[in-house]
Amino acid sequence: MKITTLMMVMILWVSLDQEPKAYTQRLPGSELEIEMVAIPSGSFQMGSKNPEDKDAYPQRKVSVDGFWMSSKEVTWELYREFLKRELDINAIKHENIQIDAVTGATIPYVDMGLGMGSEGSLPVANVTVLGASQFCKWLTALTGVYYRLPTEAEWEYAARAGSAGPYFFEDDGNLEEYAWFDENSGESYHEVGQKKPNPWGLYDMYGNVAEWTLDQYVEDAYQKEQVFHPITKPYPTVVRGGSYKDTAKELGSTVRMGSDLVWKVRDPQFPQSKWWNTDAAFVGFRIVRPVETPEIKEDNTFWIAID
């Protein structure tokens, strides 16, 4: 074998070896687990080809580093451990991740499931993006492994799973096999993982509950060079994927929506809760772990700060 060929093989081997592999994250002190799917690094055309998709047009080429993403949306069962904080005594100390105090979310003061259930494997809903981000910070402190919400680019890249159309499958008629939406949901979210996964093993990327991202919603974001828009104010923040109450056209890899104050219109408190919405049971989240753990600074970049 020629030296140049040998070097190319070695480079390819090293590159492949650096790609993430799937694993199971166990929560110390409990029987709870989170399946983490390996998302390979790569490039894709982010956005829609259709000019009518005004806030997702035009497409632009975006490169994404490898990461892991939870195979399913975070459930009430998992989120209630964050609320109770009874597992904190089992927190793993990690010399490379120094975290300041993790503020706990308040206990729900009304039925946040809005009659659809708020236990077990049902997706947690009605949490604010701050509540979702603080769950990631708490999970990081508990496990010693860095977690956060996905950026918009990471979410779309994972949802597409190498596809180029509006859905990760070619035939639009198959949507019922992969998603809970207005035609089959019975106006309710469902236990996570009941439908078929996308080609990369991710369940409920479309429908069930829409999912928080780390991006501020900017209507003409796709017309700008900037890809990541960090959250600097509570509203509007991007959610992706559509939910159980949306139509088929409102689901898909490019569908994006900004959060709205009306999502907590029935909050009786003053000031209104930072942790809970009262009218957004159609919004939940899933978590990611980047291959390269960022340096955790005093401001805990990538976790949303509490005012």
Side-chain angles (χ1 to χ4, degrees):
M1 183 178 295
K2 293 182 179 180
I3 293 178
T4 53
T5 303
L6 178 60
M7 291 180 63
M8 291 181 65
V9 170
M10 292 180 64
I11 291 172
L12 178 61
W13 180 82
V14 170
S15 176
L16 291 174
D17 190 56
Q18 291 175 341
E19 291 295 345
K21 295 179 174 59
Y23 69 97
T24 301
Q25 177 63 66
R26 293 179 173 80
L27 273 63
S30 80
E31 301 297 321
L32 297 175
E33 297 178 340
I34 303 174
E35 298 296 332
M36 299 299 294
V37 172
I39 308 296
S41 57
S43 299
F44 73 112
Q45 291 293 329
M46 184 176 178
S48 173
K49 299 177 182 177
N50 186 354
E52 294 184 0
D53 297 332
K54 294 181 179 178
D55 68 347
Y57 179 85
Q59 285 191 326
R60 60 229 172 111
K61 186 175 182 179
V62 172
S63 296
V64 177
D65 294 331
F67 60 97
W68 292 270
M69 175 175 268
S70 57
S71 65
K72 303 179 180 73
E73 293 158 338
V74 172
T75 63
W76 276 106
E77 185 176 40
L78 288 167
Y79 200 78
R80 287 197 179 282
E81 294 299 336
F82 167 53
L83 298 178
K84 293 187 296 185
R85 306 296 291 271
E86 294 175 354
L87 301 180
D88 289 14
I89 193 173
N90 300 295
I92 297 173
K93 305 300 181 184
H94 195 290
E95 60 181 11
N96 295 325
I97 300 180
Q98 300 296 326
I99 303 173
D100 59 4
V102 180
T103 304
T106 57
I107 301 299
Y109 40 90
V110 297
D111 173 19
M112 294 301 174
L114 302 186
M116 295 183 286
S118 56
E119 66 285 321
S121 297
L122 292 168
V124 67
N126 252 331
V127 292
T128 62
V129 68
L130 172 63
S133 180
Q134 285 294 301
F135 172 87
C136 297
K137 187 176 181 180
W138 169 78
L139 186 62
T140 299
L142 181 67
T143 63
V145 180
Y146 178 76
Y147 292 103
R148 61 169 169 76
L149 296 175
T151 66
E152 263 207 278
E154 289 170 338
W155 191 96
E156 183 172 327
Y157 178 65
R160 286 185 174 281
S163 65
Y167 301 114
F168 54 70
F169 49 87
E170 294 183 357
D171 184 357
D172 293 359
N174 287 333
L175 185 58
E176 287 198 18
E177 297 180 20
Y178 297 94
W180 296 108
F181 59 113
D182 70 337
E183 293 183 13
N184 65 358
S185 68
E187 300 182 353
S188 175
Y189 52 57
H190 293 259
E191 290 189 352
V192 299
Q194 300 300 302
K195 295 292 186 178
K196 291 181 179 178
N198 80 355
W200 285 354
L202 300 169
Y203 295 84
D204 303 311
M205 290 302 284
Y206 307 150
N208 214 22
V209 289
E211 300 173 8
W212 287 114
T213 72
L214 272 179
D215 282 65
Q216 196 83 66
Y217 178 81
V218 179
E219 185 173 4
D220 60 350
Y222 284 43
Q223 298 174 26
K224 302 177 182 295
E225 186 175 343
Q226 181 180 352
V227 175
F228 174 50
H229 297 80
I231 296 172
T232 59
K233 54 185 179 181
Y235 299 94
T237 302
V238 176
V239 296
R240 298 294 299 256
S243 76
Y244 66 87
K245 61 186 300 182
D246 290 320
T247 66
K249 291 184 177 179
E250 293 169 322
L251 270 58
S253 299
T254 63
V255 173
R256 54 197 301 266
M257 178 172 63
S259 60
D260 194 300
L261 268 172
V262 74
W263 291 3
K264 56 174 62 205
V265 68
R266 286 184 289 183
D267 188 339
Q269 302 178 116
F270 183 82
Q272 292 184 314
S273 174
K274 296 179 180 178
W275 304 102
W276 298 98
N277 293 311
T278 51
D279 303 83
F282 53 88
V283 178
F285 68 100
R286 74 178 70 216
I287 63 174
V288 298
R289 171 191 173 188
V291 170
E292 297 292 334
T293 301
E295 180 181 355
I296 307 300
K297 300 178 181 178
E298 290 183 357
D299 63 354
N300 289 288
T301 303
F302 289 119
W303 289 313
I304 298 170
I306 301 172
D307 295 331

